[in-house]
Amino acid sequence: MTTAHTTTHHTTPQYPFTAVVGMDDLRLALLLNAVSPAVGGVLVRGEKGTAKSTAVRALSALMPDVDVISGCRFACAPAAPDPGCPDGPHGTGAVEERPTRMVELPVGASEDRLVGALDIERALSEGVKAFEPGLLADAHRGILYVDEVNLLHDHLVDLLLDAAAMGASYVEREGVSVRHAARFLLVGTMNPEEGELRPQLLDRFGLTVEVAASREPDQRVAVVRRRLAYDADPAGFAAHWAAEEDELRGRIAAARELLPRVTLGDAALRQIAATCAAFEVDGMRADIVMARTATALAAWAGRTDVLEEDVRQAALLALPHRRRRNPFDAPGLDEDKLDRTLEEFGADEGTDGDDDPEPDGPDGGPDGGGPDGGGHPPQDGGPEESPLPPEAELPHQQDREAPQTPPAPEQPERAEQPEPESAPQGGAAGEKAAVGATEPFKTRRLDVPGLGEGADGRRSRARTAHGRTTGARRPHGALGTLHLSATVQAAAPHQRARGRSGRGLVVRRDDLREAVREGREGNLVLFVVDASGSMAARKRMSAVKGAVLSLLLDAYQRRDKIGLITFRGTGAELALPPTSSVEAGAARLEQLPTGGRTPLSEGLLRAHEVLRVERMRDASRRPLLVVVTDGRATGGPEPVVRAARAARLLAGEGTASVVVDCEAGPVRLGLAGELARELQGTAITLDELRADSVSALVRTVQGNRKAA
């Protein structure tokens, strides 16, 4: 059984859920899923060091135990075993009770580790389905936790999507197929600075919460005290919180028992539908998740009727990540608009239940614990009320009043424009304040020539684990995708010598061949943007920012890493080190002021240094240099000669490049074209960058070597 990443028993006690300071919305979202797993899981977004993982891991200790059939590696329920279970049929096997498992999926896991592995050699030679279960089998009827879920490889995301949609995992290799049930509570954590999730996976999470470190000194003190106490004596710390853990565990059980009796009235359902329509969320999953969440909130509060407050809280948890139209939109809801919608569609029919919504829970208040009475988990009063201190990894807290990021307008909000500096840079024209970008557009695909071997993506040709089959080879290490015909051809000449007598093919390890496939890879797209005075005309810089924003969006869709260098005045600045977060790149671009001379050579030399460091970090990820400039070079001694020398330095190392020519007006000097020739790259105009432009002819970015 594969249990390397399954957390059920701990030599060191888990950090108690009730000891977590603050983070009310995160704790509430997790508890609602414990009450009703049908809610669909939680995505936790937040900066590093906010104890996201600590809170998630602590949830497993609160989940009720499950009954399983003894010896079944797929956690079949005794009352309703999976008829297609690979370990079945079970008959009347013994039953055992065990804790709910929380299985962690590492970001770098292989496909076989996630879905399991078939022994192809035995399948071909013996005709048996020898199957080793993966993490999806371990997570069945439990929790599947993915830390840094936004960094998960695309092929693993696809497998997760399939399992989440069908409630089952399928493993198929060359006609040999195994299926098993895989229904789990999906919980993911991520730092948005490192990149966003694909929309399909984002929509699979029922709820989302934003977490941030508290700015209140008292809460930060409580966090540190509790963490230090836990590190000093984990067993003693867990024992101190045992009573609170038992109480919360009992409340979850009571809410689960009450859940089937909760009534979702027509008025509440109308409010749910109206809210989803008002915020223009895609599809109907949001309506269903909101309905399940509002019902779970009522059960958690000890009520059998869903009230308007439940619908409102459900919207704040279930809708922010579903209303985003592109990766530059900030998650969140306009709470004023939400309140207006609820009032408009709740006034005619009133709220469900009695006018006096007193709960029938044991504590006599709507929450039974929690000062606001709004259904939040019980929380202590602060460090002065706690005899023991510590807490999770780092400070974390999120005010109830702001469970998501600040209200987002219907259109992406532009970054605040900085005030211009008082003194000009480089002795030339003074610095001008940042201007907004034009609307992004669909761009041409810019490829890196040749055949790479980088991470799966959607930009340049590469040898990948997925794609069209182009050949076969002997496997290096574990067998990947079997190339059946090549394997048979390798084994066929030896059948008589191996004493074959039956219908089966006698296959040995040396006969196995794996498929060589060609797909697409993600690249490092490094933008070098001219922000000098020659680019400072408001209309031109707006168009330039719109073009770069469009390229950033294209990089997001093609799963690239991106970096941003700007140059003006007397030097160049690495505005954004290489990252997977295009949001960060868009934010830095919006805040970019212009003015001063044009130190083109400094920008190119800074790019050379950044690429040198990145090659040491990840040699397989090939770079694409995108220089956005009119080609002018001013400032310093021999600026044109130095720029040409820097360009030849990049070309000599084989850096694929494209120059986006921003020169405008009837008289053109063609300096951007000369720069492209020095880089041994390609020059395109802003108009040619558009995918729908008549002048956008299909070209491959030219590097210093021709494509293989």
Side-chain angles (χ1 to χ4, degrees):
M1 183 186 299
T2 53
T3 57
H5 294 275
T6 303
T7 56
T8 53
H9 302 285
H10 303 273
T11 55
T12 300
Q14 187 68 267
Y15 192 94
F17 189 87
T18 50
V20 174
V21 175
M23 296 203 302
D24 291 343
D25 292 292
L26 170 57
R27 300 190 315 131
L28 178 62
L30 292 172
L31 289 170
L32 291 177
N33 276 275
V35 170
S36 175
V39 166
V42 186
L43 174 65
V44 188
R45 296 165 45 94
E47 60 198 23
K48 55 185 177 295
T50 47
K52 303 182 295 290
S53 300
T54 297
V56 172
R57 291 188 177 100
L59 176 68
S60 61
L62 300 176
M63 299 292 284
D65 292 346
V66 294
D67 290 333
V68 299
I69 296 175
S70 295
C72 178
R73 298 174 296 169
F74 302 89
C76 279
D82 179 12
C85 176
D87 285 354
H90 296 295
T92 56
V95 176
E96 64 179 83
E97 186 179 67
R98 75 175 191 202
T100 296
R101 286 176 172 171
M102 187 179 78
V103 178
E104 294 191 42
L105 172 60
V107 169
S110 65
E111 180 177 332
D112 286 349
R113 186 75 185 93
L114 179 62
V115 300
L118 281 171
D119 190 333
I120 299 297
E121 186 175 354
R122 291 189 63 193
L124 289 175
S125 60
E126 303 175 29
V128 298
K129 295 180 180 180
F131 180 66
E132 180 69 15
L135 295 176
L136 290 180
D138 283 349
H140 179 49
R141 302 178 65 202
I143 303 170
L144 182 62
Y145 171 48
V146 189
D147 193 13
E148 306 293 353
V149 62
N150 52 323
L151 303 182
L152 204 62
H153 290 303
D154 274 359
H155 67 284
L156 297 182
V157 170
D158 293 337
L159 294 170
L160 271 184
L161 288 172
D162 290 343
M166 298 184 293
S169 175
Y170 292 83
V171 183
E172 299 191 22
R173 298 283 180 85
E174 306 296 342
V176 181
S177 176
V178 172
R179 172 214 166 272
H180 65 81
R183 291 181 294 275
F184 45 81
L185 176 62
L186 183 61
V187 181
T189 55
M190 60 174 282
N191 181 355
E193 294 179 357
E194 297 173 337
E196 281 296 336
L197 274 179
R198 281 171 52 182
Q200 296 94 329
L201 183 56
L202 193 64
D203 191 48
R204 281 292 169 188
F205 287 97
L207 311 179
T208 184
V209 291
E210 298 276 337
V211 297
S214 172
R215 298 298 181 257
E216 292 294 328
D218 288 346
Q219 280 201 334
R220 296 176 77 99
V221 167
V223 169
V224 175
R225 285 188 182 278
R226 294 188 187 182
R227 185 67 206 189
L228 292 176
Y230 173 75
D231 290 342
D233 182 11
F237 185 80
H240 174 76
W241 291 93
E244 286 83 351
E245 292 283 287
D246 289 341
E247 181 180 349
L248 188 56
R249 196 176 293 110
R251 188 176 171 195
I252 292 172
R256 279 194 168 198
E257 185 176 346
L258 180 64
L259 185 66
R261 305 201 300 273
V262 175
T263 301
L264 179 65
D266 290 341
L269 192 54
R270 181 177 173 81
Q271 286 182 318
I272 289 170
T275 300
C276 292
F279 285 99
E280 300 180 352
V281 296
D282 295 329
M284 294 297 297
R285 183 175 285 119
D287 304 62
I288 297 170
V289 170
M290 269 191 68
R292 289 171 174 167
T293 304
T295 303
L297 279 161
W300 178 249
R303 289 185 266 99
T304 56
D305 291 318
V306 174
L307 306 180
E308 182 176 307
E309 65 192 66
D310 301 322
V311 176
R312 186 181 192 278
Q313 182 65 62
L316 292 174
L317 293 173
L319 295 189
H321 60 303
R322 291 188 164 89
R323 61 169 300 277
R324 306 183 73 192
R325 290 295 179 266
N326 66 62
F328 309 134
D329 292 343
L333 291 183
D334 183 340
E335 295 193 34
D336 290 337
K337 179 178 179 180
L338 173 61
D339 291 335
R340 289 194 302 270
T341 303
L342 293 175
E343 183 179 358
E344 177 184 354
F345 289 89
D348 294 337
E349 299 181 37
T351 57
D352 296 312
D354 299 330
D355 293 334
D356 182 16
E358 286 296 323
D360 49 7
D363 293 279
D367 185 34
D372 59 351
H376 283 296
Q379 174 64 27
D380 61 292
E384 61 277 6
E385 297 180 13
S386 175
L388 271 180
E391 148 83 283
E393 300 161 296
L394 275 175
H396 50 280
Q397 151 70 6
Q398 188 174 5
D399 288 337
R400 168 87 197 273
E401 299 303 323
Q404 274 76 34
T405 50
E410 290 305 301
Q411 296 295 326
E413 195 172 2
R414 298 300 182 191
E416 185 178 347
Q417 295 181 353
E419 293 295 326
E421 296 177 4
S422 57
Q425 285 206 28
E431 181 182 280
K432 296 184 179 181
V435 299
T438 58
E439 286 299 313
F441 52 84
K442 185 175 178 59
T443 66
R444 294 169 44 187
R445 186 176 70 202
L446 306 175
D447 296 343
V448 177
L451 192 63
E453 294 184 347
D456 285 353
R458 300 175 185 172
R459 183 171 297 278
S460 305
R461 292 174 55 225
R463 295 186 185 92
T464 60
H466 304 83
R468 63 186 182 90
T469 301
T470 59
R473 67 183 178 190
R474 291 180 182 271
H476 304 292
L479 177 68
T481 303
L482 180 75
H483 195 295
L484 184 58
S485 60
T487 299
V488 172
Q489 289 174 11
H494 308 292
Q495 295 305 293
R496 182 174 299 177
R498 293 174 183 173
R500 173 185 172 186
S501 57
R503 299 176 59 186
L505 188 68
V506 181
V507 179
R508 294 182 179 168
R509 180 71 186 175
D510 289 343
D511 302 327
L512 298 180
R513 299 291 184 271
E514 66 181 4
V516 175
R517 292 182 168 181
E518 182 178 312
R520 296 267 169 188
E521 67 178 0
N523 298 109
L524 166 60
V525 183
L526 182 61
F527 295 95
V528 180
V529 180
D530 186 347
S532 64
S534 65
M535 304 281 289
R538 173 171 289 270
K539 188 174 182 181
R540 184 197 290 193
M541 198 61 205
S542 231
V544 167
K545 285 189 175 183
V548 178
L549 199 64
S550 303
L551 288 167
L552 285 172
L553 182 58
D554 181 68
Y556 165 76
Q557 293 169 341
R558 300 191 188 281
R559 315 304 290 171
D560 294 316
K561 288 181 69 176
I562 58 110
L564 176 64
I565 293 172
T566 63
F567 60 94
R568 62 189 176 90
T570 59
E573 175 191 1
L574 179 59
L576 182 69
T579 176
S580 297
S581 175
V582 294
E583 285 182 309
R588 302 292 170 84
L589 183 70
E590 283 293 324
Q591 297 166 7
L592 177 66
T594 57
R597 296 188 182 275
T598 313
L600 177 58
S601 60
E602 300 302 321
L604 297 176
L605 289 173
R606 191 63 184 271
H608 176 267
E609 177 61 20
V610 170
L611 294 178
R612 184 187 67 81
V613 173
E614 286 302 308
R615 283 191 193 97
M616 291 168 41
R617 290 176 177 168
D618 186 359
S620 64
R621 188 179 287 270
R622 298 187 296 161
L624 172 63
L625 182 68
V626 179
V627 185
V628 185
T629 182
D630 57 9
R632 287 180 171 85
T634 61
E638 299 184 316
V640 176
V641 174
R642 293 182 74 244
R645 189 179 302 134
R648 288 193 292 271
L649 180 63
L650 286 161
E653 294 190 346
T655 304
S657 59
V658 59
V659 178
V660 180
D661 185 358
C662 302
E663 193 172 28
V667 179
R668 294 176 179 266
L669 302 178
L671 298 177
E674 292 181 14
L675 175 62
R677 284 190 289 275
E678 295 287 1
L679 286 167
Q680 297 184 25
T682 298
I684 59 174
T685 64
L686 286 174
D687 180 57
E688 290 173 337
L689 187 61
R690 293 178 176 270
D692 56 357
S693 172
V694 174
S695 58
L697 303 176
V698 178
R699 308 178 197 169
T700 300
V701 176
Q702 298 298 316
N704 68 322
R705 294 185 299 269
K706 292 184 177 181

